[in-house]
Amino acid sequence: MMLIWASKKFHVEADPKVEAILAFLPGANCGACGCAGCAACAERIAKGELPPDVCTSASFSCVKNIGECVGVCVEEKEKEVAVVLCNGGVNCLSRFEYDGVEDCKAAMLIAEGEKACSYGCIGHGSCVRACPFGAITIGENRLPVIDENKCKGCGVCVSVCPKGILTLRKISQKVRVLCFSKDKGKYVKEICKFGCMGCGICVKACPSNAITLKDNLALIDQEKCTGCGVCVEKCPRNAIGILG
Amino acid sequence: MKQIAVMKVPERVVIPVTEPLVAIGDTVNVGQKIGESEHSSVSGEVVEISKLSNKNVLSLVIKTSEDLSIEFQPKENPSPEGIKQILKLAGIPIELTPSEIVILNGTDEKPYVTANHALMLEYLDEILGGLKILMKATGASRGVIVICDSDSDVMGVMKADAKENEIEIIPSKTTYVQCTEDLMKNAIAKGSKAMVSNIGIAKAVYDAVFLGKPLIEAVVTVTGAKESQNVLARIGAPLRSLIETCGGYEGEPEKIIVNGPMTGTAQYTDEVPVTKGTYGVLVQYDGTTGEIRPCIDCARCVDVCPKDLLPNVLAISADHARFDVCVTYRLKDCIECGSCAYVCPSKIPIVQLIKYAKAELEKKE
């Protein structure tokens, strides 16, 4: 009796608009929109503080429905997924054996991680634990593997990675240089099997002139790239990959 | 027996500097200023200026040529302001605050470190002289040296000289975590203003004021090499050369730890240079710590914590990235003594978790 009375007495009148929006949000509370959870996000969308397409995790039909709730027409955006810009893992030399807290940020406190490459993934799985959708696992070669079906492109892993090697790519951008090392080619060759040395073979091979070299690293202009895959074949280091 | 072995001048030294004052190819002399508060510890040629090892610190590599002995020019009877200036120029990491008591920490409370003990036996006059200068510069009327009560030999040598110079000697119990700065201030100064420094600094102060010599050497206790001893090392000398001075490794080293096993950091290479803050090098041949298991709430870490914290709560909160909880449980009071991690039966790296939480909180600020 007491509970029934209390539930009636203290009933909070919720904004029906907020509830409608909340129904279309994924409910993962990932925080990528900058709000404390989906409920807070729904409130801010209802107030007009955030655009209806702020949630990167929601599917387009949901976003469209949210847009209808607040009376805004939404255009479809291309889906984005996370990508790891490192191909090293076990194929990159370690300077020492790390024996401590299994967390990338904690491992970074000790000489910036154990990998000889200061740009490479150290593979202690901070991104795995951060991902609200369980889309990341650590693979056999000690590198994070992203399940592109589960990945919603929320970008939480991108902000959590202390090395900054996770980034978002549009799903149509399939060809990526899977290396982030700005070190000189000779050093990269010594420490990593799959690191980009900046040799420039891909620059010459690319039929659409989409690749340039910058800081000892090949850079693919995604606007020009046709996804033909010639560079992937020609790369002597297997540093360029076709994703998806 | 001689307490401190003098190290051979190393072939090359690596000195981290904030802003280099010299360029590649320049020749430098012993004691020449090469950075804002750094001095060359050898005579030779600058061969490299680059970011070494952990890519954040700019380092100068100096290749030693013939080692010239340089006559340093001291200043006669400087004023307190003058002393401050001299110490700053000599690159001595010390902050002189006006105080009533100057306390020198002469205890070797860290395991495997005896550098202070050796310094006191070898350079007693210099240390007492250094303390007098610090007292003059800070305007203090009392000078205190804290030593371990087990160091009876130091007590014997020091007693007469200290009495003559009106310096008190206070023995402290020989246990770990006994002589941190605030513990000493509370016990000795009892509310009056105090400045705490250590024996090595006092000697450097004496050298700077009476000999005009900048801080280019450090006494380091090397343990785990064939002959464990105290070594007078040039700043910037690689750890390898220190260990060679002590007869080399006894086998395949597993871990090299700088500055004591409790608070120190394991190094991944023996090319790491000696810095102004180095006082101990420990080589371990069986350094495996074992598998990390979950916390069993035994609270041994709580019993042992000298600052009355709850290390178990701090570690678990840090592991769950609940840094706000860490702050409520006085994370910032932790002195990272390492006692909690040492007693932990589950081998949880508590100190690393605490350091991690501190680093994350610093980033947020």
Side-chain angles (χ1 to χ4, degrees):
Chain A
M1 272 309 275
M2 195 64 192
L3 286 175
I4 296 168
W5 172 80
S7 71
K8 287 204 170 148
K9 173 90 183 165
F10 297 113
H11 182 68
V12 181
E13 206 54 51
D15 187 348
K17 212 163 145 194
V18 174
E19 285 202 341
I21 296 170
L22 189 54
F24 292 116
L25 288 172
N29 298 323
C30 68
C33 52
C35 307
C38 291
C41 179
E43 261 174 44
R44 290 185 66 186
I45 294 177
K47 279 183 198 159
E49 287 170 15
L50 289 172
D53 58 349
V54 67
C55 182
T56 51
S57 316
S59 66
F60 178 62
S61 61
C62 290
V63 172
K64 217 167 133 188
N65 286 327
I66 296 170
E68 276 169 16
C69 288
V70 287
V72 179
C73 187
V74 196
E75 275 175 37
E76 184 162 11
K77 266 195 213 163
E78 201 185 340
K79 190 193 168 187
E80 288 188 316
V81 288
V83 55
V84 185
L85 296 183
C86 177
N87 212 359
V90 287
N91 295 308
C92 177
L93 290 183
S94 290
R95 292 180 294 176
F96 55 93
E97 254 176 65
Y98 174 74
D99 185 14
V101 183
E102 262 309 282
D103 185 280
C104 301
K105 283 182 188 168
M108 282 286 281
L109 294 177
I110 299 162
E112 310 247 300
E114 73 268 39
K115 283 275 174 269
C117 173
S118 59
Y119 300 92
C121 174
I122 48 178
H124 292 297
S126 283
C127 50
V128 176
R129 283 183 293 282
C131 180
F133 302 99
I136 312 179
T137 46
I138 294 287
E140 266 175 30
N141 53 359
R142 301 283 305 156
L143 281 176
V145 181
I146 289 154
D147 184 336
E148 290 182 0
N149 296 323
K150 285 187 188 165
C151 179
K152 308 277 184 199
C154 67
V156 170
C157 53
V158 176
S159 58
V160 92
C161 178
K163 291 274 187 188
I165 48 168
L166 275 152
T167 179
L168 292 177
R169 68 171 176 98
K170 293 211 171 86
I171 197 98
S172 65
Q173 300 173 350
K174 291 200 182 296
V175 183
R176 288 305 283 246
V177 180
L178 299 177
C179 182
F180 197 57
S181 169
K182 295 185 176 82
D183 283 327
K184 285 196 176 121
K186 191 171 169 244
Y187 181 69
V188 176
K189 198 176 175 187
E190 272 170 25
I191 58 166
C192 184
K193 252 189 196 170
F194 299 130
C196 173
M197 308 187 295
C199 64
I201 290 175
C202 53
V203 178
K204 284 179 203 135
C206 182
S208 44
N209 293 327
I211 310 180
T212 45
L213 282 183
K214 200 189 168 198
D215 298 333
N216 299 315
L217 195 59
L219 196 70
I220 300 177
D221 185 345
Q222 297 293 346
E223 300 277 297
K224 288 184 190 166
C225 177
T226 55
C228 66
V230 173
C231 53
V232 181
E233 265 171 48
K234 293 275 178 181
C235 179
R237 309 280 297 162
N238 295 328
I240 309 179
I242 292 195
L243 302 153
Chain B
M1 195 190 114
K2 221 169 153 43
Q3 293 291 330
I4 299 172
V6 178
M7 193 184 124
K8 217 171 67 191
V9 179
E11 278 166 25
R12 47 179 251 157
V13 291
V14 179
I15 302 174
V17 287
T18 38
E19 265 177 57
L21 299 175
V22 286
I24 294 175
D26 286 3
T27 46
V28 288
N29 279 330
V30 180
Q32 188 180 326
K33 209 170 170 189
I34 52 172
E36 201 172 319
S37 58
E38 293 86 5
H39 300 79
S40 175
S41 58
V42 293
S43 300
E45 192 189 336
V46 181
V47 288
E48 206 183 326
I49 302 177
S50 61
K51 291 187 176 177
L52 294 173
S53 60
N54 64 358
K55 313 242 167 186
N56 283 330
V57 193
L58 199 64
S59 299
L60 277 180
V61 182
I62 301 167
K63 194 165 170 256
T64 314
S65 55
E66 53 179 333
D67 199 43
L68 303 165
S69 56
I70 299 285
E71 290 278 319
F72 295 107
Q73 289 299 324
K75 278 195 186 130
E76 296 279 319
N77 201 16
S79 63
E81 256 330 290
I83 293 173
K84 272 183 198 171
Q85 202 58 35
I86 291 172
L87 298 191
K88 204 180 161 202
L89 280 177
I92 296 171
I94 187 171
E95 218 171 286
L96 294 173
T97 46
S99 43
E100 290 157 41
I101 309 175
V102 176
I103 305 170
L104 285 191
N105 183 3
T107 59
D108 286 307
E109 52 164 1
K110 301 227 165 76
Y112 299 110
V113 176
T114 56
N116 281 340
H117 178 247
L119 269 166
M120 282 188 288
L121 288 180
E122 194 97 340
Y123 300 105
L124 183 61
D125 293 340
E126 284 90 337
I127 290 161
L128 293 175
L131 178 53
K132 284 259 157 196
I133 297 163
L134 287 179
M135 284 163 66
K136 187 176 168 189
T138 55
S141 53
R142 243 176 107 190
V144 176
I145 300 180
V146 183
I147 64 166
C148 284
D149 57 3
S150 60
D151 291 347
S152 50
D153 48 349
V154 176
M155 188 60 137
V157 184
M158 229 179 203
K159 223 172 188 173
D161 282 341
K163 207 170 183 185
E164 208 173 282
N165 286 297
E166 291 170 348
I167 285 167
E168 289 168 58
I169 301 176
I170 297 181
S172 96
K173 229 193 238 174
T174 314
T175 49
Y176 182 55
V177 196
Q178 179 76 5
C179 291
T180 61
E181 195 168 322
D182 34 335
L183 283 178
M184 280 196 295
K185 272 187 189 169
N186 287 344
I188 297 165
K190 295 197 179 81
S192 51
K193 273 188 191 169
M195 195 194 86
V196 178
S197 188
N198 66 40
I199 295 291
I201 297 282
K203 178 172 181 281
V205 167
Y206 176 91
D207 286 350
V209 175
F210 287 104
L211 307 175
K213 187 177 160 189
L215 180 54
I216 53 167
E217 286 168 328
V219 172
V220 182
T221 312
V222 182
T223 317
K226 270 187 184 144
E227 291 166 49
S228 295
Q229 58 186 340
N230 284 292
V231 180
L232 184 66
R234 303 281 177 115
I235 304 283
L239 298 183
R240 179 177 44 80
S241 63
L242 265 179
I243 290 157
E244 273 165 16
T245 313
C246 299
Y249 294 111
E250 269 179 342
E252 184 65 31
E254 172 88 27
K255 259 188 193 176
I256 302 171
I257 306 169
V258 166
N259 286 358
M262 303 298 276
T263 52
T265 338
Q267 307 293 327
Y268 60 89
T269 161
D270 55 8
E271 291 296 325
V272 175
V274 172
T275 62
K276 284 175 187 173
T278 309
Y279 51 80
V281 174
L282 171 67
V283 186
Q284 286 184 337
Y285 298 95
D286 179 21
T288 46
T289 43
E291 196 194 339
I292 302 170
R293 293 188 299 272
C295 175
I296 54 167
D297 286 334
C298 67
R300 285 190 212 176
C301 51
V302 181
D303 291 340
V304 85
C305 180
K307 300 290 280 184
D308 299 331
L309 303 173
L310 302 178
N312 54 341
V313 179
L314 290 175
I316 290 170
S317 311
D319 201 16
H320 295 173
R322 287 298 305 272
F323 305 120
D324 51 329
V325 180
C326 292
V327 175
T328 346
Y329 283 87
R330 300 193 288 131
L331 174 83
K332 286 197 177 145
D333 286 2
C334 173
I335 51 167
E336 295 166 21
C337 68
S339 302
C340 48
Y342 179 73
V343 295
C344 181
S346 290
K347 314 273 183 213
I348 298 171
I350 303 174
V351 182
Q352 197 196 352
L353 284 166
I354 288 174
K355 280 185 185 168
Y356 160 54
K358 280 185 182 172
E360 285 300 303
L361 282 168
E362 212 166 86
K363 257 187 236 165
K364 274 181 194 163
E365 281 167 14

Short mmCIF file of all heavy atoms in Angstrom, two decimals, chain A residues 7-60:
data_model
loop_
_atom_site.label_atom_id
_atom_site.label_comp_id
_atom_site.label_asym_id
_atom_site.label_seq_id
_atom_site.Cartn_x
_atom_site.Cartn_y
_atom_site.Cartn_z
N SER A 7 4.40 5.86 -5.02
CA SER A 7 4.63 5.99 -6.46
C SER A 7 3.67 7.02 -7.06
O SER A 7 4.01 7.71 -8.02
CB SER A 7 4.48 4.63 -7.14
OG SER A 7 3.14 4.25 -7.13
N LYS A 8 2.47 7.13 -6.48
CA LYS A 8 1.53 8.12 -7.01
C LYS A 8 1.87 9.53 -6.55
O LYS A 8 1.86 10.48 -7.30
CB LYS A 8 0.11 7.76 -6.56
CG LYS A 8 -0.41 6.55 -7.31
CD LYS A 8 -1.92 6.53 -7.34
CE LYS A 8 -2.39 5.44 -8.29
NZ LYS A 8 -3.66 4.86 -7.87
N LYS A 9 2.25 9.57 -5.25
CA LYS A 9 2.52 10.87 -4.63
C LYS A 9 3.74 11.53 -5.27
O LYS A 9 3.77 12.72 -5.54
CB LYS A 9 2.75 10.65 -3.14
CG LYS A 9 3.20 11.85 -2.36
CD LYS A 9 2.04 12.65 -1.82
CE LYS A 9 2.53 13.90 -1.10
NZ LYS A 9 1.47 14.86 -0.87
N PHE A 10 4.80 10.71 -5.49
CA PHE A 10 6.05 11.29 -5.99
C PHE A 10 6.23 11.08 -7.50
O PHE A 10 7.33 11.14 -8.01
CB PHE A 10 7.25 10.67 -5.24
CG PHE A 10 7.22 10.98 -3.77
CD1 PHE A 10 7.02 9.98 -2.84
CD2 PHE A 10 7.37 12.28 -3.33
CE1 PHE A 10 6.99 10.27 -1.49
CE2 PHE A 10 7.32 12.57 -1.98
CZ PHE A 10 7.13 11.57 -1.05
N HIS A 11 5.14 10.82 -8.19
CA HIS A 11 5.25 10.58 -9.63
C HIS A 11 5.77 11.83 -10.34
O HIS A 11 5.28 12.93 -10.11
CB HIS A 11 3.90 10.17 -10.20
CG HIS A 11 3.96 9.87 -11.67
ND1 HIS A 11 4.63 8.78 -12.15
CD2 HIS A 11 3.46 10.54 -12.73
CE1 HIS A 11 4.54 8.78 -13.47
NE2 HIS A 11 3.84 9.84 -13.86
N VAL A 12 6.81 11.62 -11.16
CA VAL A 12 7.39 12.76 -11.89
C VAL A 12 6.81 12.75 -13.30
O VAL A 12 6.88 11.74 -14.00
CB VAL A 12 8.93 12.66 -11.94
CG1 VAL A 12 9.50 13.86 -12.67
CG2 VAL A 12 9.50 12.57 -10.55
N GLU A 13 6.25 13.84 -13.67
CA GLU A 13 5.66 13.95 -15.00
C GLU A 13 6.80 14.07 -16.02
O GLU A 13 7.55 15.05 -16.02
CB GLU A 13 4.77 15.20 -15.05
CG GLU A 13 3.66 15.17 -16.06
CD GLU A 13 2.74 13.95 -15.96
OE1 GLU A 13 2.24 13.63 -14.87
OE2 GLU A 13 2.52 13.33 -17.00
N ALA A 14 6.99 13.04 -16.86
CA ALA A 14 8.06 13.10 -17.84
C ALA A 14 7.52 13.74 -19.13
O ALA A 14 6.35 13.57 -19.47
CB ALA A 14 8.58 11.71 -18.13
N ASP A 15 8.43 14.46 -19.81
CA ASP A 15 8.07 15.07 -21.08
C ASP A 15 7.83 13.95 -22.10
O ASP A 15 8.73 13.13 -22.34
CB ASP A 15 9.23 15.98 -21.51
CG ASP A 15 8.86 16.79 -22.74
OD1 ASP A 15 7.83 16.46 -23.34
OD2 ASP A 15 9.61 17.72 -23.06
N PRO A 16 6.67 13.84 -22.71
CA PRO A 16 6.43 12.75 -23.66
C PRO A 16 7.41 12.79 -24.83
O PRO A 16 7.79 11.74 -25.36
CB PRO A 16 4.99 12.99 -24.12
CG PRO A 16 4.67 14.39 -23.73
CD PRO A 16 5.49 14.71 -22.54
N LYS A 17 7.85 14.01 -25.18
CA LYS A 17 8.80 14.16 -26.28
C LYS A 17 10.13 13.48 -25.93
O LYS A 17 10.71 12.74 -26.73
CB LYS A 17 9.05 15.65 -26.50
CG LYS A 17 9.34 16.04 -27.93
CD LYS A 17 9.14 17.52 -28.00
CE LYS A 17 9.92 18.37 -28.81
NZ LYS A 17 9.84 19.78 -28.56
N VAL A 18 10.56 13.70 -24.69
CA VAL A 18 11.83 13.11 -24.24
C VAL A 18 11.72 11.59 -24.27
O VAL A 18 12.62 10.89 -24.75
CB VAL A 18 12.18 13.59 -22.82
CG1 VAL A 18 13.41 12.85 -22.29
CG2 VAL A 18 12.41 15.08 -22.79
N GLU A 19 10.58 11.10 -23.79
CA GLU A 19 10.41 9.65 -23.76
C GLU A 19 10.39 9.05 -25.16
O GLU A 19 10.94 7.99 -25.40
CB GLU A 19 9.13 9.29 -23.00
CG GLU A 19 9.32 9.47 -21.50
CD GLU A 19 8.33 8.67 -20.69
OE1 GLU A 19 7.29 8.26 -21.25
OE2 GLU A 19 8.61 8.45 -19.50
N ALA A 20 9.75 9.78 -26.06
CA ALA A 20 9.70 9.30 -27.44
C ALA A 20 11.10 9.24 -28.04
O ALA A 20 11.48 8.27 -28.71
CB ALA A 20 8.80 10.21 -28.27
N ILE A 21 11.88 10.29 -27.77
CA ILE A 21 13.26 10.32 -28.31
C ILE A 21 14.08 9.19 -27.70
O ILE A 21 14.81 8.47 -28.38
CB ILE A 21 13.92 11.68 -28.05
CG1 ILE A 21 13.18 12.79 -28.80
CG2 ILE A 21 15.40 11.67 -28.46
CD1 ILE A 21 13.59 14.18 -28.42
N LEU A 22 13.92 9.04 -26.38
CA LEU A 22 14.69 8.02 -25.67
C LEU A 22 14.42 6.62 -26.23
O LEU A 22 15.31 5.78 -26.30
CB LEU A 22 14.34 8.08 -24.17
CG LEU A 22 15.21 7.24 -23.22
CD1 LEU A 22 16.68 7.56 -23.38
CD2 LEU A 22 14.79 7.48 -21.78
N ALA A 23 13.17 6.41 -26.66
CA ALA A 23 12.81 5.09 -27.20
C ALA A 23 13.61 4.78 -28.47
O ALA A 23 13.89 3.62 -28.77
CB ALA A 23 11.32 5.06 -27.51
N PHE A 24 14.00 5.84 -29.20
CA PHE A 24 14.75 5.61 -30.44
C PHE A 24 16.26 5.59 -30.25
O PHE A 24 17.01 5.23 -31.14
CB PHE A 24 14.39 6.68 -31.48
CG PHE A 24 12.98 6.55 -31.95
CD1 PHE A 24 12.04 7.55 -31.71
CD2 PHE A 24 12.57 5.40 -32.63
CE1 PHE A 24 10.75 7.41 -32.15
CE2 PHE A 24 11.26 5.27 -33.07
CZ PHE A 24 10.34 6.27 -32.83
N LEU A 25 16.74 6.04 -29.08
CA LEU A 25 18.19 6.02 -28.83
C LEU A 25 18.61 4.60 -28.45
O LEU A 25 17.80 3.84 -27.91
CB LEU A 25 18.54 7.02 -27.71
CG LEU A 25 18.46 8.49 -28.11
CD1 LEU A 25 18.64 9.39 -26.90
CD2 LEU A 25 19.50 8.84 -29.16
N PRO A 26 19.88 4.24 -28.72
CA PRO A 26 20.27 2.83 -28.52
C PRO A 26 20.30 2.38 -27.05
O PRO A 26 20.26 1.19 -26.78
CB PRO A 26 21.67 2.76 -29.14
CG PRO A 26 22.14 4.14 -29.24
CD PRO A 26 20.95 5.02 -29.34
N GLY A 27 20.43 3.31 -26.10
CA GLY A 27 20.41 2.91 -24.70
C GLY A 27 21.70 2.30 -24.20
O GLY A 27 21.72 1.62 -23.18
N ALA A 28 22.78 2.55 -24.92
CA ALA A 28 24.07 1.97 -24.50
C ALA A 28 24.78 2.87 -23.50
O ALA A 28 25.75 2.45 -22.87
CB ALA A 28 24.96 1.74 -25.71
N ASN A 29 24.31 4.11 -23.35
CA ASN A 29 24.94 5.08 -22.45
C ASN A 29 26.44 5.22 -22.72
O ASN A 29 27.24 5.22 -21.79
CB ASN A 29 24.70 4.70 -20.99
CG ASN A 29 23.23 4.71 -20.65
OD1 ASN A 29 22.47 5.56 -21.15
ND2 ASN A 29 22.80 3.77 -19.83
N CYS A 30 26.81 5.28 -23.99
CA CYS A 30 28.23 5.28 -24.33
C CYS A 30 28.90 6.61 -24.01
O CYS A 30 30.08 6.68 -23.73
CB CYS A 30 28.44 4.93 -25.80
SG CYS A 30 27.86 6.18 -26.95
N GLY A 31 28.13 7.68 -24.05
CA GLY A 31 28.71 8.98 -23.69
C GLY A 31 29.41 9.69 -24.83
O GLY A 31 30.05 10.72 -24.63
N ALA A 32 29.31 9.13 -26.04
CA ALA A 32 30.02 9.74 -27.16
C ALA A 32 29.45 11.11 -27.53
O ALA A 32 30.13 11.96 -28.07
CB ALA A 32 29.96 8.82 -28.38
N CYS A 33 28.14 11.34 -27.21
CA CYS A 33 27.52 12.63 -27.53
C CYS A 33 27.95 13.71 -26.55
O CYS A 33 27.68 14.90 -26.76
CB CYS A 33 26.01 12.48 -27.51
SG CYS A 33 25.40 11.75 -25.98
N GLY A 34 28.61 13.30 -25.46
CA GLY A 34 29.04 14.27 -24.47
C GLY A 34 28.06 14.40 -23.32
O GLY A 34 28.26 15.19 -22.41
N CYS A 35 26.96 13.62 -23.33
CA CYS A 35 26.00 13.67 -22.23
C CYS A 35 26.23 12.47 -21.32
O CYS A 35 26.83 11.49 -21.71
CB CYS A 35 24.57 13.60 -22.76
SG CYS A 35 24.23 14.82 -24.01
N ALA A 36 25.67 12.58 -20.10
CA ALA A 36 25.78 11.46 -19.16
C ALA A 36 24.67 10.46 -19.45
O ALA A 36 23.65 10.43 -18.79
CB ALA A 36 25.70 11.97 -17.73
N GLY A 37 24.84 9.67 -20.47
CA GLY A 37 23.85 8.64 -20.78
C GLY A 37 22.80 9.09 -21.78
O GLY A 37 22.68 10.27 -22.11
N CYS A 38 22.01 8.12 -22.25
CA CYS A 38 21.04 8.39 -23.31
C CYS A 38 19.88 9.26 -22.85
O CYS A 38 19.36 10.08 -23.60
CB CYS A 38 20.50 7.06 -23.85
SG CYS A 38 21.75 6.14 -24.75
N ALA A 39 19.46 9.11 -21.57
CA ALA A 39 18.34 9.90 -21.07
C ALA A 39 18.69 11.39 -21.11
O ALA A 39 17.88 12.22 -21.53
CB ALA A 39 17.99 9.46 -19.65
N ALA A 40 19.92 11.70 -20.66
CA ALA A 40 20.35 13.09 -20.67
C ALA A 40 20.43 13.62 -22.09
O ALA A 40 20.08 14.78 -22.37
CB ALA A 40 21.71 13.21 -19.99
N CYS A 41 20.86 12.74 -23.00
CA CYS A 41 20.97 13.12 -24.42
C CYS A 41 19.58 13.43 -24.97
O CYS A 41 19.37 14.45 -25.65
CB CYS A 41 21.64 11.99 -25.19
SG CYS A 41 21.82 12.32 -26.94
N ALA A 42 18.61 12.57 -24.64
CA ALA A 42 17.24 12.75 -25.13
C ALA A 42 16.68 14.10 -24.66
O ALA A 42 16.06 14.84 -25.43
CB ALA A 42 16.36 11.62 -24.64
N GLU A 43 16.94 14.44 -23.39
CA GLU A 43 16.47 15.72 -22.86
C GLU A 43 17.04 16.89 -23.64
O GLU A 43 16.33 17.84 -23.98
CB GLU A 43 16.88 15.84 -21.39
CG GLU A 43 15.76 15.49 -20.43
CD GLU A 43 16.26 15.49 -19.00
OE1 GLU A 43 17.00 16.43 -18.63
OE2 GLU A 43 15.93 14.53 -18.27
N ARG A 44 18.32 16.80 -23.90
CA ARG A 44 18.98 17.92 -24.58
C ARG A 44 18.53 18.02 -26.04
O ARG A 44 18.45 19.12 -26.58
CB ARG A 44 20.50 17.81 -24.48
CG ARG A 44 20.98 18.06 -23.04
CD ARG A 44 22.47 18.06 -22.92
NE ARG A 44 23.09 19.18 -23.63
CZ ARG A 44 24.40 19.32 -23.76
NH1 ARG A 44 25.22 18.41 -23.24
NH2 ARG A 44 24.90 20.35 -24.41
N ILE A 45 18.24 16.86 -26.65
CA ILE A 45 17.72 16.92 -28.03
C ILE A 45 16.34 17.57 -28.02
O ILE A 45 16.02 18.43 -28.84
CB ILE A 45 17.66 15.51 -28.66
CG1 ILE A 45 19.07 14.93 -28.84
CG2 ILE A 45 16.96 15.56 -30.03
CD1 ILE A 45 19.10 13.52 -29.38
N ALA A 46 15.52 17.19 -27.02
CA ALA A 46 14.16 17.72 -26.93
C ALA A 46 14.19 19.24 -26.74
O ALA A 46 13.35 19.97 -27.28
CB ALA A 46 13.42 17.06 -25.78
N LYS A 47 15.18 19.72 -25.96
CA LYS A 47 15.29 21.16 -25.72
C LYS A 47 15.87 21.89 -26.94
O LYS A 47 15.91 23.11 -26.97
CB LYS A 47 16.20 21.42 -24.51
CG LYS A 47 15.49 21.25 -23.18
CD LYS A 47 16.44 21.60 -22.06
CE LYS A 47 15.97 21.03 -20.74
NZ LYS A 47 17.06 20.92 -19.77
N GLY A 48 16.40 21.13 -27.87
CA GLY A 48 16.99 21.74 -29.05
C GLY A 48 18.44 22.14 -28.87
O GLY A 48 19.03 22.83 -29.68
N GLU A 49 19.05 21.70 -27.73
CA GLU A 49 20.46 22.03 -27.50
C GLU A 49 21.38 21.20 -28.38
O GLU A 49 22.49 21.62 -28.70
CB GLU A 49 20.82 21.79 -26.03
CG GLU A 49 20.23 22.82 -25.09
CD GLU A 49 20.38 22.43 -23.63
OE1 GLU A 49 21.18 21.53 -23.33
OE2 GLU A 49 19.68 23.04 -22.81
N LEU A 50 20.93 20.00 -28.74
CA LEU A 50 21.75 19.13 -29.59
C LEU A 50 20.95 18.81 -30.86
O LEU A 50 19.72 18.71 -30.81
CB LEU A 50 22.09 17.84 -28.86
CG LEU A 50 23.09 17.93 -27.69
CD1 LEU A 50 23.15 16.60 -26.96
CD2 LEU A 50 24.46 18.33 -28.18
N PRO A 51 21.64 18.63 -31.99
CA PRO A 51 20.93 18.23 -33.20
C PRO A 51 20.40 16.80 -33.07
O PRO A 51 20.96 16.01 -32.32
CB PRO A 51 22.00 18.33 -34.28
CG PRO A 51 23.28 18.21 -33.57
CD PRO A 51 23.08 18.78 -32.21
N PRO A 52 19.33 16.44 -33.79
CA PRO A 52 18.77 15.09 -33.66
C PRO A 52 19.72 13.98 -34.11
O PRO A 52 19.57 12.84 -33.69
CB PRO A 52 17.52 15.13 -34.53
CG PRO A 52 17.65 16.33 -35.38
CD PRO A 52 18.52 17.29 -34.66
N ASP A 53 20.69 14.33 -34.96
CA ASP A 53 21.61 13.27 -35.41
C ASP A 53 22.90 13.23 -34.61
O ASP A 53 23.93 12.75 -35.09
CB ASP A 53 21.90 13.43 -36.91
CG ASP A 53 22.50 14.78 -37.23
OD1 ASP A 53 22.49 15.66 -36.33
OD2 ASP A 53 22.98 14.97 -38.36
N VAL A 54 22.86 13.73 -33.36
CA VAL A 54 24.09 13.74 -32.56
C VAL A 54 24.54 12.34 -32.20
O VAL A 54 25.72 12.06 -32.04
CB VAL A 54 23.90 14.62 -31.30
CG1 VAL A 54 22.90 13.99 -30.34
CG2 VAL A 54 25.21 14.83 -30.57
N CYS A 55 23.59 11.41 -32.09
CA CYS A 55 23.94 10.05 -31.70
C CYS A 55 24.49 9.31 -32.91
O CYS A 55 23.78 9.04 -33.87
CB CYS A 55 22.75 9.31 -31.12
SG CYS A 55 23.17 7.65 -30.59
N THR A 56 25.79 8.97 -32.81
CA THR A 56 26.42 8.27 -33.94
C THR A 56 26.05 6.79 -33.92
O THR A 56 26.22 6.10 -34.91
CB THR A 56 27.94 8.40 -33.88
OG1 THR A 56 28.37 8.03 -32.58
CG2 THR A 56 28.39 9.81 -34.19
N SER A 57 25.60 6.32 -32.77
CA SER A 57 25.33 4.89 -32.65
C SER A 57 23.96 4.49 -33.18
O SER A 57 23.74 3.35 -33.56
CB SER A 57 25.42 4.47 -31.18
OG SER A 57 26.54 5.06 -30.58
N ALA A 58 23.02 5.44 -33.19
CA ALA A 58 21.67 5.10 -33.62
C ALA A 58 21.62 4.88 -35.13
O ALA A 58 22.32 5.56 -35.89
CB ALA A 58 20.72 6.22 -33.23
N SER A 59 20.77 3.95 -35.57
CA SER A 59 20.66 3.70 -37.00
C SER A 59 19.91 4.87 -37.67
O SER A 59 19.28 5.69 -36.98
CB SER A 59 19.88 2.40 -37.24
OG SER A 59 18.55 2.58 -36.80
N PHE A 60 19.97 4.92 -39.01
CA PHE A 60 19.39 6.09 -39.68
C PHE A 60 17.89 6.18 -39.46
O PHE A 60 17.34 7.27 -39.26
CB PHE A 60 19.71 6.06 -41.18
CG PHE A 60 19.08 7.23 -41.89
CD1 PHE A 60 19.42 8.53 -41.56
CD2 PHE A 60 18.11 7.03 -42.87
CE1 PHE A 60 18.85 9.61 -42.18
CE2 PHE A 60 17.52 8.11 -43.49
CZ PHE A 60 17.89 9.39 -43.16
#
